[in-house]
């Protein structure tokens, strides 16, 4: 397991209701430290993509590491401000313009326009102002289309052929573009990051005021044995070379920004849950482990067919094949599917399970609690715990009680 030991699991199951998310401060510190050491030519800012997991305690740990924020909505901006970040620690690059744009900009956040319309609205509000632009460079990457965030089928960013229109708006409102922002999906190799750097630096050439190239997130952190964690040192060194070459050619020293989400938090979060039933579909069928968790806490298996690291806590020496399913009355609520194909269930080999056994699911710190389908089937939103760096276990979000589930309904 990533960080939980048996005595912690026992303590947690004795003192808290399951399922429960558990985060490790040490794991967060470990991964953020790796990012802060990312090799760079002319300075580095690491912005945590807080949509990955926005619990206030996670934000505070990162703030103390001098990590800044990438926010995807005005609400994330206000959440980060509540965690103690200052306005100018925060960048917003969202799909939707704030309803109260004026108020948002006055918090001091750095605005990255992700469409021509957004750029124009910023110009109207802040003639002569400074902002960044997110560009869709026409290429994307990722293990599968649904997580690619660049290319023809991606709505994120200003399409690269519209740089002329950007320049018109910049001129009309006397804007200063100081940042080029790219975030094109999930990348792993040095070559792909060098490619992103080259694409980005090419756009930097077009804008003389640009001081920062933000290359987005998408750095891979392995959760399964067959996956490989991005090697930040070799990626960083390869990217650094490109920034140095650019400096030689143009005399411009470009500051590097990165926006990891998943890499920082995915392996710093686990779920502790229970096996609540075991059923099968006969000799030709499957044996299913029913858990008291599922898409309500881990939507990404149902959405994308990602695989999670699953452990059963018991002393059984025998092994058996199981399909692990969630607790929702929903055919898609399955925790073991073919990789990136959530339509096809897959068996995994586990120690022989008894009803009541504890199940631990690792690698769920990112895009799970934040994306949760809480309250589906009226299951309450579950609690969150943090194991701090001293090893103390504290509750950082309460589990909803029964009435919380419908408390906003008017009847
Ligand atoms: C989601 C997102 C990220 C983080 O992506 P990860 O894959 O979690 O590293 C970074 N930047 C932007 C703009 C994003 O939308």
């Amino acid at each position: 397991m990533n960080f939980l030991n048996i005595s912690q699991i026992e303590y947690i199951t004795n003192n808290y209701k399951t399922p429960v998310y558990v985060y490790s401060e040490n794991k967060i510190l470990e991964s953020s430290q790796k990012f802060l050491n990312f090799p760079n030519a002319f300075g580095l800012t690491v912005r945590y993509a807080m949509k990955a997991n926005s619990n206030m305690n996670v934000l505070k740990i990162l703030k103390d590491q001098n990590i800044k924020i990438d926010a995807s909505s005005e609400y994330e901006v206000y959440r980060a401000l509540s965690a103690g970040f200052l306005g100018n620690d925060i960048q917003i690059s969202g799909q939707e313009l704030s309803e109260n744009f004026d108020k948002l900009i006055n918090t001091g956040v750095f605005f990255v326009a992700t469409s021509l319309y957004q750029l124009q609205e910023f110009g109207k509000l802040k003639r002569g102002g400074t902002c960044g632009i997110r560009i869709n460079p026409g290429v994307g990457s990722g293990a599968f289309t649904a997580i690619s965030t660049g290319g023809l089928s991606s709505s994120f960013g200003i399409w690269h052929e519209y740089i002329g229109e950007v320049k018109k708006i910049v001129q009309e409102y006397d804007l200063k573009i100081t940042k080029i922002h790219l975030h094109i999906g999930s990348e792993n190799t040095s070559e792909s990051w060098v490619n992103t750097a080259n694409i980005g630096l090419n756009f930097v050439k077009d804008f003389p005021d640009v001081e920062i190239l933000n290359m987005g997130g998408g750095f891979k952190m392995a959760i399964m044995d067959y996956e490989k964690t991005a090697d930040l040192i070799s990626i960083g060194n390869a990217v650094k070379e490109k920034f140095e070459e650019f400096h030689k050619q143009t005399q411009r020293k470009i500051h590097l920004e990165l926006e990891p989400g998943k890499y920082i938090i995915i392996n710093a979060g686990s779920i502790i849950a229970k096996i609540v039933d075991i059923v099968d579909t006969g000799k030709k069928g499957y044996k299913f482990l029913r858990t008291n968790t599922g898409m309500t806490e881990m939507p990404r298996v149902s959405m994308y067919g990602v695989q999670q690291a699953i452990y059963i806590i018991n002393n059984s020496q025998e092994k058996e094949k199981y399909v692990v399913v969630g607790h929702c009355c929903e055919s898609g609520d399955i925790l073991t599917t073919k990789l990136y194909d959530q339509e096809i269930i897959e068996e995994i080999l586990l120690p022989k399970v008894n009803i009541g056994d504890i199940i631990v699911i690792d690698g769920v710190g990112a895009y799970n609690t934040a994306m949760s389908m809480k309250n589906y089937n009226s299951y309450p939103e579950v609690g969150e715990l943090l194991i701090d760096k001293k090893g103390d276990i504290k509750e950082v979000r309460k589990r909803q009680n029964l009435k919380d589930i419908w408390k906003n309904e008017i009847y």
Side-chain angles (χ1 to χ4, degrees), residues 47-52 70-72 91 93 134 149 156 181-183 185-186 214-220 258-264 366-367:
R47 293 186 179 278
Y48 173 57
M50 67 177 277
K51 71 177 195 284
D70 171 57
S72 305
Q91 160 198 283
S93 62
R134 176 166 176 179
T149 50
F156 303 108
H181 180 280
L182 300 171
H183 170 68
S186 290
N214 182 321
M215 306 210 315
F219 296 85
K220 183 101 181 163
L258 300 169
E259 291 170 348
K262 184 173 53 205
Y263 188 101
I264 299 277
Y367 305 110

Side-chain angles (χ1 to χ4, degrees), residues 195-221:
N195 191 31
T196 307
N198 282 334
I199 291 169
L201 290 169
N202 249 330
F203 289 115
V204 172
K205 270 190 198 143
D206 274 330
F207 295 91
D209 293 329
V210 167
E211 295 154 1
I212 302 166
L213 175 59
N214 182 321
M215 306 210 315
F219 296 85
K220 183 101 181 163
M221 172 63 90

